[in-house]
Amino acid sequence: MTSEDPNLMEGEILRENEPIASPTASKPTTPGLKLPKISLGKLKTLKLPKLKFIAIALFVLLVCLLALVFVSKRNNTPPEVVQNISVASPTVQSPKPDAQKKLEDSLDLYDKAVDDTTITIVDFQAPKVDLEPKF
Amino acid sequence: MPNAGFDLVRKSQIISLIAALYVVVSQFSPALSITPLEQAQNDYTYQITKYQETKDAYQTASSNFKTYKTATAKNEAFAKTKTYLVQVKNVYFSYINLVKERTNSVNWDHSAYKKDDVTTPLNTQIEELAKEEKKVRDAQTLEDLTPVFKELTSVIEAKIVPQVFRALATSDIAQVEDLSWQLDQNSQKVDDYIKDRYSQHDTQLYLNWKTEVGATKSKIATNIEKYKTTLANSNVYTDNVAIGTNFKFDTSEARQTLKSTKQLIRELIK
């Protein structure tokens, strides 16, 4: 249903149930565009997930920073003084054959086993206790 | 789909929390990953510290009782002596556990000895200690505790220390036997590897290496036999036992020889 309205521009039609704009209100830029009515409550519900997302992002950032700090602390060993720097040969070294690699791995394990056997009987001396009655 | 976004947020929270926990746990991992032997060592050290505390309290209470001879002083001396004797038992209990962990740290697969042969007598000594502790707890008077001192001394000197010596000496031999086995395996691997490339090496160098490895193995085998004989011939109840002094058993010669083999078996693959 249409009706005559003095505020209507030429060719503009007022749709059913559309609120009649006050004479002082600015007109919509696009003809026929319906602006959503948003209550304050709705506004809050819209903002909350955004806030939550920001909080989570900050939390993740904090965790990453912590991890970086820990890792950097862990790896914070004094740099070794490099001695006898040798100039690398321009020829490309061929990779070690599998057999040699396997053998060296096995020998490394043997070295470790030998080094790990420093604990002996002398490290397990019996404790001295005083078992003389004092009364 | 409002829950999808929320689930994503919740998931990211959980992942962040797990990441944070991982970072924290990884920082403390060295503390969490101590070996059972180290744990037993820590327990033993703790019991020794506690022993010193109870000993001081026991000595003070005994001294007060000797000086004042009052009923209160006697009660105090009785209570502190009980605590002291229980702590003596705790010290030896943790010591035996430490020795048991030592036996667990050794690979017995290549030894002539069996681990159970040394750990079973240790478990028996733990039971002996438990019996002595019960006597201490059941004591009603200071006089009841006097025989416990003698019994504990007897259990420690005549049973625990000899069995501990036997367990430790056997573990040392078993460890050398295991290393000797590993030397055999690895020198054979090196030999096989060299053989394939035999033409590349000087024949005399290879033969010298083989002779040197053979002599080293033979020396270690002789050492092992000597240690076994020493252990078999020693009366573990009277010899080679000393409380608070060095045990008269030493496998350092074989260990030194084994250390030198690290270089030796690599010589021809450099």
Side-chain angles (χ1 to χ4, degrees):
Chain A
M1 193 182 98
T2 58
S3 62
E4 292 275 327
D5 188 327
N7 293 317
L8 283 177
M9 289 180 79
E10 198 180 339
E12 204 174 359
I13 299 161
L14 183 68
R15 285 173 183 82
E16 200 175 356
N17 297 330
E18 189 174 2
I20 298 164
S22 72
T24 51
S26 60
K27 287 191 178 212
T29 49
T30 316
L33 183 71
K34 200 175 176 183
L35 287 173
K37 272 189 174 180
I38 300 164
S39 69
L40 196 64
K42 275 186 180 174
L43 206 75
K44 276 181 185 170
T45 55
L46 276 173
K47 277 183 178 174
L48 264 176
K50 264 191 178 178
L51 280 172
K52 214 169 210 177
F53 178 76
I54 291 165
I56 297 304
L58 280 171
F59 180 65
V60 171
L61 200 70
L62 188 72
V63 168
C64 291
L65 274 171
L66 269 172
L68 269 173
V69 168
F70 276 122
V71 169
S72 64
K73 265 189 179 179
R74 204 173 198 188
N75 298 333
N76 195 17
T77 48
E80 283 178 26
V81 179
V82 181
Q83 290 176 334
N84 303 328
I85 301 167
S86 59
V87 180
S89 160
T91 54
V92 180
Q93 278 192 329
S94 58
K96 284 179 181 174
D98 272 0
Q100 189 178 347
K101 176 89 177 62
K102 264 188 178 177
L103 181 64
E104 284 183 357
D105 288 348
S106 180
L107 294 181
D108 286 345
L109 284 175
Y110 175 69
D111 288 355
K112 196 179 177 303
V114 172
D115 291 338
D116 284 350
T117 55
T118 50
I119 296 173
T120 63
I121 192 168
V122 294
D123 300 300
F124 297 90
Q125 296 302 312
K128 265 186 190 171
V129 289
D130 184 0
L131 283 172
E132 282 293 315
K134 299 269 186 288
F135 43 85
Chain B
M1 296 277 287
N3 283 339
F6 185 71
D7 282 352
L8 196 71
V9 167
R10 183 50 65 86
K11 273 179 191 170
S12 69
Q13 271 180 322
I14 292 166
I15 290 167
S16 307
L17 203 66
I18 290 168
L21 275 172
Y22 171 77
V23 170
V24 171
V25 168
S26 65
Q27 290 306 305
F28 293 103
S29 58
L32 294 172
S33 65
I34 63 167
T35 63
L37 183 64
E38 288 166 336
Q39 181 61 54
Q41 178 68 58
N42 291 345
D43 290 346
Y44 174 62
T45 308
Y46 170 75
Q47 295 300 344
I48 288 284
T49 311
K50 226 174 156 213
Y51 165 79
Q52 286 302 333
E53 291 168 13
T54 56
K55 187 185 175 188
D56 290 345
Y58 152 68
Q59 284 179 332
T60 308
S62 301
S63 172
N64 287 342
F65 172 56
K66 271 195 232 172
T67 309
Y68 305 113
K69 297 279 182 192
T70 61
T72 314
K74 190 176 183 180
N75 284 341
E76 183 71 3
F78 172 60
K80 297 296 179 193
T81 307
K82 261 185 143 178
T83 312
Y84 173 69
L85 287 172
V86 169
Q87 191 52 35
V88 168
K89 171 251 150 190
N90 287 343
V91 165
Y92 270 90
F93 181 82
S94 62
Y95 176 59
I96 294 172
N97 277 330
L98 175 64
V99 173
K100 277 174 71 182
E101 284 307 333
R102 161 64 180 158
T103 65
N104 289 337
S105 71
V106 174
N107 182 4
W108 297 77
D109 293 349
H110 311 111
S111 173
Y113 300 106
K114 286 187 170 58
K115 190 179 86 171
D116 287 349
D117 290 346
V118 293
T119 52
T120 307
L122 291 177
N123 290 333
T124 309
Q125 300 318 314
I126 287 176
E127 286 166 19
E128 287 282 329
L129 280 174
K131 280 181 200 165
E132 292 305 317
E133 184 185 8
K134 191 176 182 307
K135 284 178 192 170
V136 174
R137 293 194 187 279
D138 289 348
Q140 298 297 312
T141 63
L142 193 58
E143 288 74 22
D144 291 344
L145 292 174
T146 312
V148 180
F149 275 90
K150 283 181 185 165
E151 283 175 28
L152 254 178
T153 307
S154 171
V155 168
I156 290 168
E157 290 184 359
K159 293 178 180 175
I160 294 176
V161 175
Q163 291 300 352
V164 159
F165 163 75
R166 193 164 159 257
L168 291 172
T170 313
S171 298
D172 277 11
I173 297 173
Q175 197 172 44
V176 172
E177 285 179 309
D178 179 48
L179 285 175
S180 174
W181 179 83
Q182 288 192 47
L183 172 65
D184 275 352
Q185 297 292 307
N186 282 291
S187 59
Q188 189 56 53
K189 279 180 192 172
V190 173
D191 202 351
D192 293 343
Y193 180 79
I194 299 295
K195 264 185 205 163
D196 295 343
R197 293 151 184 83
Y198 195 64
S199 57
Q200 296 172 15
H201 289 90
D202 176 52
T203 311
Q204 194 55 48
L205 194 71
Y206 171 70
L207 291 174
N208 285 347
W209 177 81
K210 277 204 87 165
T211 309
E212 185 69 26
V213 169
T216 308
K217 282 184 194 173
S218 171
K219 192 178 171 189
I220 294 165
T222 308
N223 282 147
I224 290 171
E225 285 312 308
K226 190 179 82 182
Y227 301 147
K228 283 180 179 174
T229 310
T230 307
L231 182 60
N233 292 339
S234 60
N235 182 343
V236 293
Y237 293 96
T238 54
D239 304 337
N240 292 312
V241 172
I243 297 171
T245 57
N246 286 341
F247 288 110
K248 293 168 191 164
F249 186 82
D250 187 14
T251 52
S252 60
E253 194 182 340
R255 285 167 197 275
Q256 280 302 320
T257 311
L258 281 160
K259 266 189 185 174
S260 69
T261 62
K262 289 197 301 181
Q263 287 283 101
L264 177 65
I265 55 174
R266 283 177 188 271
E267 256 175 28
L268 291 190
I269 54 163
K270 277 173 189 171

